[in-house]
Amino acid sequence: MTGAPVLEAAALREEDIPELLLIEAEANPVPWSDGMFRQELANPLGKFYVYREDGAVAGYAGFWDMAGHGHISNLAVEKSR
């Protein structure tokens, strides 16, 4: 019997962006660019998380914290997951 996958979430880092771009291109007809993800790193309202399964990026989610309300800016999961 195999164990459940190890899932973890972490704040987006610049070095995660190349993997996000691959998932983004697969998931969206008008994908975000490298620059758009980099803007999220500098956005003081932005919270962006990368989700890993067994160490590999499996998806991501971003939102803006606006006066106590969350606005989802982007969300995607790798198709093979």
Side-chain angles (χ1 to χ4, degrees), residues 40 43 45-49 61-66 69-74:
E40 287 304 302
N43 182 352
L45 299 177
K47 308 291 183 199
F48 219 98
Y49 298 94
F63 69 94
W64 298 339
D65 182 356
M66 302 173 71
H69 298 283
H71 168 78
I72 297 172
S73 59
N74 199 340

Side-chain angles (χ1 to χ4, degrees), residues 12-14 17 32 34-48 63-64:
L12 173 64
R13 300 172 302 173
E14 191 171 333
I17 294 174
W32 277 25
D34 179 89
M36 294 169 84
F37 282 108
R38 291 181 189 285
Q39 283 179 322
E40 287 304 302
L41 287 171
N43 182 352
L45 299 177
K47 308 291 183 199
F48 219 98
F63 69 94
W64 298 339

Side-chain angles (χ1 to χ4, degrees), residues 7-17 19-20 23 37 41 47-53 55-62 76:
L7 301 173
E8 59 184 337
L12 173 64
R13 300 172 302 173
E14 191 171 333
E15 56 265 26
D16 296 322
I17 294 174
E19 289 179 271
L20 269 59
I23 297 170
F37 282 108
L41 287 171
K47 308 291 183 199
F48 219 98
Y49 298 94
V50 175
Y51 297 91
R52 290 182 177 82
E53 182 177 316
V57 174
Y60 48 90

